[in-house]
Amino acid sequence: MNIVLIQPRVGYAKPLYWESLALGYIGSYLKHRWGEKVDIEFYSQGWDSDAQIVQAAKDADIVGYSCTSPQYLAATKLVKDICPTSDAIHVIGGVHASAVPLQVLGSGPFDSVIIGVGEYPMSALVADVMHGLGAKRIYSGTGRGSAAIAKVQHHWPDRRLIKLERHLRQTQAATGCRQTSVVASRGCAGSCTFCATHCVNKYMVCRFVGDICEELRELLVNWDAEFIQFADD
């Protein structure tokens, strides 16, 4: 099965693109769960042209998008550009889709929406398509079970898949040092009205400290990271 994961462009000029850890986590889990049964590619409109992405999606079975609200319009345009040359199922996740899933399904060109943490729901979609069951309209990852994936040892984002090196070079050019990020916990127990995190996951689960330290060490040694931010909810 061919899967293309896409980070849409944001809606303002000359942005500094942070790496798509969400899609890195999904890619990592799908490779672990399905092995050679899936072939996964990643593209970002921050670097890759629309023509490259449309071409890559021609042979895809599933095209997945992760986006916030400023990226939503770019994602919808990509779907419309891809559809004439592809029979792929288009699924969207991330904060925007998690906050207003029915609006996205009602007004957008997407076949399915993932609400909440994406690893298990995306794998469920892959299973449905693989077994000829078709795609459900909504896949949910908002429960304790989905949040608990944070406790799985060495479940790190696939940084080679999401092409971290080009992000590191961008941050070095913009700020003078190679910057990247790590997620030490998932979710938040708060329900602040100004924040959409509780739409994604209201259960807070912290990773094991030793596992976080190993990941930090890997970024320092293998990626020459100079500045690491914690991108927790």
Side-chain angles (χ1 to χ4, degrees):
M1 174 177 289
N2 296 323
I3 301 171
V4 173
L5 302 176
I6 299 172
Q7 178 189 37
R9 70 170 55 89
V10 296
Y12 50 88
K14 297 182 179 179
L16 183 66
Y17 278 83
W18 284 98
E19 70 275 39
S20 183
L21 289 183
L23 293 179
Y25 273 116
I26 288 172
S28 175
Y29 182 73
L30 293 181
K31 289 179 181 180
H32 169 75
R33 172 66 179 83
W34 296 101
E36 294 183 356
K37 292 181 180 179
V38 294
D39 182 50
I40 305 172
E41 295 181 70
F42 168 83
Y43 294 89
S44 170
Q45 284 187 298
W47 284 273
D48 305 306
S49 69
D50 290 8
Q52 283 178 288
I53 295 171
V54 171
Q55 179 64 34
K58 279 185 177 180
D59 298 321
D61 299 291
I62 297 173
V63 181
Y65 309 78
S66 177
C67 61
T68 58
S69 295
Q71 296 171 291
Y72 179 68
L73 289 179
T76 59
K77 182 180 183 303
L78 266 180
V79 178
K80 294 172 183 177
D81 290 343
I82 292 169
C83 279
T85 60
S86 171
D87 295 324
I89 291 167
H90 295 267
V91 56
I92 183 171
V95 176
H96 184 87
S98 296
V100 289
L102 297 181
Q103 179 181 320
V104 168
L105 287 174
S107 62
F110 300 94
D111 300 297
S112 300
V113 163
I114 287 177
I115 304 173
V117 180
E119 289 97 320
Y120 293 150
M122 188 67 171
S123 184
L125 169 60
V126 169
D128 285 345
V129 175
M130 215 174 260
H131 298 143
L133 300 176
K136 298 183 182 73
R137 294 289 276 165
I138 293 178
Y139 291 84
S140 180
T142 58
R144 289 186 186 275
S146 290
I149 196 168
K151 289 289 189 182
V152 177
Q153 295 275 29
H154 294 103
H155 174 52
W156 302 346
D158 187 337
R159 291 183 167 88
R160 285 182 174 78
L161 172 67
I162 62 174
K163 305 167 187 174
L164 177 64
E165 180 58 34
R166 61 186 183 182
H167 161 76
L168 290 167
R169 290 177 181 175
Q170 182 194 48
T171 57
Q172 185 173 36
T175 68
C177 69
R178 292 163 64 86
Q179 300 185 28
T180 187
S181 51
V182 162
V183 174
S185 66
R186 301 279 190 103
C188 178
S191 297
C192 300
T193 57
F194 58 81
C195 180
T197 293
H198 61 89
C199 299
V200 179
N201 191 6
K202 62 183 179 180
Y203 300 106
M204 183 173 181
V205 178
C206 299
R207 293 173 54 195
F208 295 107
V209 172
D211 193 48
I212 299 169
C213 291
E214 284 188 53
E215 186 177 3
L216 292 171
R217 190 176 299 110
E218 197 260 349
L219 286 169
L220 293 171
V221 173
N222 295 332
W223 293 95
D224 295 326
E226 298 172 297
F227 180 94
I228 301 173
Q229 74 160 359
F230 286 93
D232 293 24
D233 294 322

